[in-house]
Amino acid sequence: MKEMNNYLFRLMMAAAILLNQGGLSLAAGENPFSLFEEEAQVVTASKKMEKVSDVPASVVIITRKDIEKYGYTSLEDILANIPGLYKIDPYYWFGTMTYGVRGFYSVGSFSDMVVMVNGVSQQEDYYESYPLSKIAVPVEAIDRIEVIRGPMSVIYGNGAFFGAINIITNQPEVFDKPNLVSASYGTGGDYRGAVRGASHSGDITVVGNASAYGTDGIDEPYKKMITSPSGLGAGLSDDGSFKGQLEDHRRFMDLSGDFGNFHGYLSYIQTKMGIVDVFPSPSPKGHQIDVSAANASLNYEKKFSPEFSLKGTLGDRSYVINYDYELFNENNYAPQIFDAHSYNVALDAFYTPTHQLNTLAGIERRTVDGVRGSLDLPGFGDFYQDWEQIANTPIITDSAYTQVDYKPWNKLKAVAGVRVEKTHDYDLLDRRGITSPQLYIRRIKIDTITVPRAALIYSPTREHAVKLMYGEAVKKPAFGNQIDLVPFPSVSALVPATMKTTEVNILSTWSRKLMTSVSFFNNELDKLISREQTPVGNSLVLLSRNAGKQSTNGVEVGILSEPFQNVETEISGTFQESKDKAPGRTHITPGYAPRFLGYGKASYRFVPKASLSAVGRYVSKMEAAYDNNLNARLGPAMGPYFVMDVNLRLEDLLRMGSFISVRVSNIFNREIRYPVTPSELWPDKGTLDRGRELLVSLGYKF
């Protein structure tokens, strides 16, 4: 770690000297691509509006124009094309696919980056994760996505391991025609319909979005993913198929309003989809989940003087997921339910006494006042029947944080921040069994957490910036991790996972038609929480435990250019070397850690109202996880693969404001397979992603 930090520091100094002596000079506003202009700003990095060149993090921005130009069909689609992220779809029982980030993949639902909608956290409180089945924001509602990469625990606390994603749906003022009606239909039973309405008068703005969309899902025979379906002993036939078992249907509504100093946000999401858990279902409809989630937030923000302002937040969120398992045969019904409710109160103060000094200070309390899981699995023994798991007391977390930005002179900015977070002791209860009911109780204690961050940002000219950043992040064991241990008092208590990151990010605008971004990063992760087979007495039990340690060194390069008139391109690549540093495993390549990720985008506007674009991504080979008990990997390596999507968009063809989009996903019909994961062991051949698909969209903006 010390050697890596020294290397990065020397690299930054060399780059700074080079840029200071040889930087290009552009007139203000000359370069439409420049991330140094006032319009290229983000609010997510520090809870205040900042230029990307001043943000102590690596930033990716997805705009409404990007979404329309490239024809993205879903939030999952957008995330898969963000540099540094890569998709893995195990048909996970908590709903939707997950993502690796910069060479690290956390088994289970996506929990390595904070995901927000309009600044409101979308976390569920069972596993403290961000399942996209709960978020379900349609692309038609998205005005902008800000992706802040790097540890963000100082600003957002637990879980902001690799950064923060803010999906913004309430910025109608940036569009000439903010209202929209659209409908889409495609192969694979894909359908979608969306409505958007916006009204602005004086200091009152109201924006509402509603949508319904879905798909028939994967239609593939079992044998493409399972060597011997009948060998699972689950009532499956060797000639069976997933057809009709992985359908996905979602409903989304949100309402956002600004009234003077007040801002309110409401959302409701419902998802019904097929999943696989333990093994596929012999029932034609498969295993089904029904997800409903609601979020509410009320903010009050007031500027008392040019130097001082306050922002207060009240938030409330609820989450319910019902499972309908059809085990062994379609008459063997196994119900399961998880539900959670929480609320939070936060106060942020912004103080800018001089143009050189900016400060943020905040406090927050989050209370999980109801979290529960219940399960009844007939056929699995008395231990798994009439099973209930609850938090017997509220789970309360108090936080205090501050960040200071100081510019000793115009070319240099220093950033320092710290967060202190305390989760109060709480009790968990596990009750199970019918013939011999058993009750277990365990008190959970988590030490106070302190995480720092620091950065130096050097801008030798207005076209270049060099950022040297260091940050730490934590991911505490969630209720779902802790409840595993309650019946096993001899198993060691869980502690938070930690990450330390050092990064150099170099931004450069070289000419009117060329901009580059280069990042060198080192991540050191320790005490990683994984759910795996753990010896307890004479048995192996599936439990969460602190069992991982990993490091990743990497470099990311991005190039944004306009090589020809009306042609825009974005090319980026990530090379990363991940190492398992747990005792006895240093010779083993970590699972789900591809060494190379490549991303490319190109668009050509052949007439003013028509464009053709292509989006491609490459993911190199991924190994499955290594199991210490088996002394072998859980399955074979998968990949590499390359996927390309193309989109044709025509505007104002039928009438002013109308648009037609024709998108072909995976145009070369490449086979994409993801390695087996510890959470889903049944697909010994790996899970499949979808093949070539066509989606046609018609809409009207007004």
Side-chain angles (χ1 to χ4, degrees):
M1 177 67 178
K2 182 177 179 180
E3 291 77 5
M4 184 65 183
N5 290 344
N6 290 336
Y7 168 73
L8 292 175
F9 180 77
R10 290 195 298 269
L11 177 65
M12 188 207 73
M13 291 297 102
I17 294 170
L18 174 64
L19 293 175
N20 194 37
Q21 295 179 349
L24 299 177
S25 177
L26 298 179
E30 180 183 350
N31 184 2
F33 295 122
S34 179
L35 292 181
F36 296 81
E37 303 302 326
E38 293 297 330
E39 61 269 21
Q41 297 184 337
V42 293
V43 71
T44 309
S46 302
K47 296 189 176 181
K48 64 179 183 291
M49 196 64 72
E50 295 178 291
K51 291 192 294 184
V52 168
S53 57
D54 287 338
V55 169
S58 175
V59 178
V60 175
I61 301 173
I62 307 295
T63 66
R64 157 61 51 184
K65 289 183 179 179
D66 293 327
I67 293 171
E68 293 177 348
K69 179 167 55 180
Y70 297 116
Y72 294 126
T73 60
S74 65
L75 181 58
E76 289 90 335
D77 188 17
I78 293 173
L79 294 180
N81 287 286
I82 290 176
L85 272 67
Y86 51 98
K87 185 168 68 172
I88 297 176
D89 189 358
Y91 312 159
Y92 186 54
W93 62 275
F94 225 56
T96 68
M97 68 280 297
T98 58
Y99 296 86
V101 187
R102 285 186 164 181
F104 175 71
Y105 173 70
S106 180
V107 173
S109 194
F110 187 48
S111 61
D112 296 320
M113 300 180 76
V114 167
V115 182
M116 298 171 284
V117 177
N118 299 322
V120 179
S121 174
Q122 302 298 299
Q123 186 184 69
E124 54 79 23
D125 293 300
Y126 195 93
Y127 279 109
E128 297 187 4
S129 67
Y130 301 87
L132 299 185
S133 58
K134 173 190 181 295
I135 301 170
V137 179
V139 294
E140 294 85 356
I142 299 173
D143 297 330
R144 177 183 178 88
I145 299 178
E146 296 177 0
V147 182
I148 313 299
R149 296 176 302 172
M152 293 294 294
S153 282
V154 166
I155 302 298
Y156 294 108
N158 175 58
F161 227 44
F162 284 91
I165 300 170
N166 191 12
I167 304 160
I168 298 170
T169 70
N170 60 357
Q171 291 186 337
E173 68 276 5
V174 301
F175 307 108
D176 295 333
K177 299 179 176 67
N179 305 297
L180 176 144
V181 178
S182 71
S184 308
Y185 190 75
T187 55
D190 288 9
Y191 70 90
R192 57 194 316 120
V195 178
R196 175 190 176 94
S199 177
H200 178 75
S201 177
D203 61 353
I204 299 177
T205 301
V206 179
V207 183
N209 295 281
S211 74
Y213 62 103
T215 176
D216 289 345
I218 295 286
D219 179 8
E220 297 285 0
Y222 294 145
K223 277 200 166 182
K224 275 199 171 183
M225 295 180 242
I226 312 167
T227 300
S228 175
S230 60
L232 291 178
L236 303 178
S237 64
D238 287 337
D239 58 353
S241 170
F242 282 102
K243 182 177 181 179
Q245 294 191 358
L246 296 172
E247 293 187 6
D248 187 349
H249 305 280
R250 309 189 191 191
R251 307 291 181 264
F252 172 89
M253 294 180 290
D254 79 350
L255 182 66
S256 181
D258 289 299
F259 312 94
N261 294 323
F262 289 92
H263 172 73
Y265 179 72
L266 298 170
S267 68
Y268 178 77
I269 297 98
Q270 185 174 57
T271 297
K272 296 184 178 181
M273 64 184 299
I275 54 101
V276 181
D277 192 13
V278 184
F279 42 70
S281 170
S283 168
K285 72 174 186 178
H287 306 311
Q288 301 287 315
I289 64 171
D290 188 337
V291 178
S292 58
N295 287 272
S297 176
L298 179 64
N299 298 331
Y300 178 78
E301 189 167 5
K302 184 173 177 60
K303 194 166 189 177
F304 293 92
S305 70
E307 298 82 19
F308 182 70
S309 63
L310 286 175
K311 179 180 179 181
T313 301
L314 297 174
D316 185 277
R317 62 184 183 227
S318 62
Y319 175 65
V320 180
I321 178 168
N322 283 283
Y323 294 83
D324 175 3
Y325 286 115
E326 302 286 346
L327 297 170
F328 305 112
N329 61 70
E330 57 185 305
N331 297 316
N332 191 308
Y333 172 69
Q336 185 173 8
I337 184 171
F338 295 114
D339 62 79
H341 175 264
S342 67
Y343 59 90
N344 72 293
V345 181
L347 181 65
D348 292 308
F350 303 88
Y351 181 51
T352 308
T354 71
H355 72 280
Q356 294 175 298
L357 182 64
N358 286 279
T359 63
L360 161 67
I363 55 174
E364 181 179 12
R365 166 167 283 201
R366 185 170 68 87
T367 302
V368 181
D369 60 345
V371 58
R372 174 179 65 98
S374 63
L375 173 66
D376 195 5
L377 290 176
F380 282 81
D382 191 58
F383 196 68
Y384 294 97
Q385 295 189 55
D386 197 21
W387 183 4
E388 185 175 34
Q389 302 171 313
I390 63 173
N392 219 24
T393 55
I395 304 173
I396 300 173
T397 301
D398 290 323
S399 304
Y401 46 91
T402 186
Q403 181 169 294
V404 178
D405 303 354
Y406 177 62
K407 280 191 171 183
W409 62 86
N410 288 337
K411 292 184 178 182
L412 183 67
K413 176 181 177 179
V415 181
V418 65
R419 186 184 190 100
V420 179
E421 188 165 289
K422 173 61 179 175
T423 298
H424 300 269
D425 298 351
Y426 60 95
D427 293 330
L428 297 183
L429 180 149
D430 183 301
R431 180 174 50 233
R432 62 179 77 192
I434 296 177
T435 58
S436 301
Q438 299 180 62
L439 177 65
Y440 308 91
I441 297 177
R442 186 165 183 168
R443 169 146 285 212
I444 303 301
K445 297 176 180 289
I446 297 177
D447 292 338
T448 299
I449 294 168
T450 302
V451 288
R453 76 183 302 189
L456 287 175
I457 302 175
Y458 178 58
S459 303
T461 71
R462 66 183 307 277
E463 295 85 27
H464 302 281
V466 182
K467 306 177 185 181
L468 173 62
M469 300 167 286
Y470 173 81
E472 297 182 10
V474 295
K475 188 158 63 171
K476 294 183 299 185
F479 169 90
N481 305 121
Q482 302 278 21
I483 200 70
D484 278 347
L485 310 183
V486 173
F488 308 102
S490 63
V491 178
S492 299
L494 296 170
V495 298
T498 63
M499 182 175 73
K500 298 178 180 180
T501 291
T502 305
E503 180 172 358
V504 173
N505 179 224
I506 305 171
L507 291 173
S508 298
T509 299
W510 299 102
S511 72
R512 187 178 180 276
K513 298 182 179 182
L514 178 64
M515 191 191 73
T516 61
S517 173
V518 181
S519 288
F520 302 87
F521 62 88
N522 165 255
N523 296 327
E524 299 289 337
L525 301 99
D526 196 11
K527 303 180 180 67
L528 296 171
I529 301 170
S530 61
R531 200 163 186 256
E532 45 188 72
Q533 298 286 346
T534 303
V536 179
N538 297 321
S539 303
L540 285 176
V541 181
L542 191 63
L543 297 177
S544 295
R545 64 192 188 102
N546 294 104
K549 189 172 184 179
Q550 180 177 319
S551 70
T552 300
N553 294 324
V555 57
E556 291 177 345
V557 179
I559 303 172
L560 176 63
S561 68
E562 185 182 329
F564 310 104
Q565 186 175 7
N566 298 324
V567 176
E568 296 178 12
T569 65
E570 293 181 43
I571 301 173
S572 61
T574 302
F575 176 80
Q576 52 206 11
E577 185 75 34
S578 296
K579 295 183 179 180
D580 193 328
K581 301 182 76 173
R585 295 174 57 135
T586 54
H587 62 290
I588 299 170
T589 302
Y592 325 108
R595 297 190 69 182
F596 182 74
L597 304 169
Y599 310 83
K601 303 176 186 177
S603 68
Y604 172 54
R605 186 167 290 277
F606 46 90
V607 295
K609 296 295 183 178
S611 66
L612 180 66
S613 66
V615 177
R617 63 184 182 275
Y618 173 85
V619 178
S620 65
K621 182 181 73 171
M622 283 189 282
E623 298 279 3
Y626 188 87
D627 188 295
N628 282 335
N629 297 303
L630 298 175
N631 290 319
R633 294 196 180 272
L634 296 176
M638 297 294 163
Y641 65 83
F642 172 75
V643 179
M644 179 176 286
D645 311 323
V646 297
N647 184 63
L648 173 67
R649 184 177 176 89
L650 308 173
E651 298 179 347
D652 300 339
L653 184 65
L654 303 177
R655 59 175 297 175
M656 291 295 292
S658 66
F659 62 87
I660 300 173
S661 179
V662 180
R663 190 179 202 248
V664 182
S665 303
N666 194 358
I667 190 169
F668 300 121
N669 201 29
R670 301 297 191 196
E671 182 179 270
I672 305 170
R673 287 185 183 266
Y674 305 112
V676 60
T677 70
S679 59
E680 299 288 353
L681 295 173
W682 56 270
D684 60 341
K685 293 183 178 180
T687 52
L688 285 168
D689 207 335
R690 301 171 72 167
R692 181 168 50 231
E693 294 183 314
L694 171 71
L695 185 73
V696 179
S697 303
L698 305 175
Y700 177 55
K701 295 190 290 186
F702 57 97

